Amino acid sequence: MLRFLRHIPPFLPTLIVLVAICYLSLDADPFPDKDSWFTFPGSDKVVHIIMYGGLTATFCFDYYRRVAAPCKLWLLIVALVGIVMELLQAHMGIGRTGDFVDVIANSLGALIGIVVGNRLFTRLFIKVES
């Protein structure tokens, strides 16, 4: 049933999500009218959790399509990507600021993504191979 997923080039979905996160993190103003989207306090932290959770879950999807073994190292890699993005925001002079709380939100998102991704995709792809 899910054999068509194996025809997607390896790690292409992860690369697409990573490029989107880089754009959203490093563009001076990726959404000029974003104030109308999220108006509650801390909403940007929710966006960070969603982005990095999505990145990690997408990696789990790509990984488990190929290998049926847990990959916990990705959690560390995604957390490091989040730290690098915040450092770049702080030092590139693009009108963005790095924030330690964003690093925590990125890491929390990565943790949530790996838990969800491991549970969902190991069951999905191990069931396909059985």
Side-chain angles (χ1 to χ4, degrees), residues 16-32 34 37-38 47-48 50-52 85-86 89 94 96-97 102:
I16 291 169
V17 173
L18 182 61
V19 167
I21 287 174
C22 288
Y23 169 74
L24 294 172
S25 297
L26 299 177
D27 187 81
D29 195 12
F31 297 109
K34 66 181 170 273
W37 291 7
F38 298 107
V47 171
H48 283 266
I50 291 169
M51 286 191 318
Y52 285 86
M85 286 297 152
E86 294 304 318
Q89 285 178 352
I94 57 173
R96 307 278 301 258
T97 58
D102 286 349

Side-chain angles (χ1 to χ4, degrees), residues 52-53 55-56 59 73-83 106 109-110:
Y52 285 86
L55 176 61
T56 309
F59 175 79
L73 179 62
W74 188 248
L75 176 63
L76 177 63
I77 293 169
V78 172
L80 289 174
V81 167
I83 291 169
N106 297 344

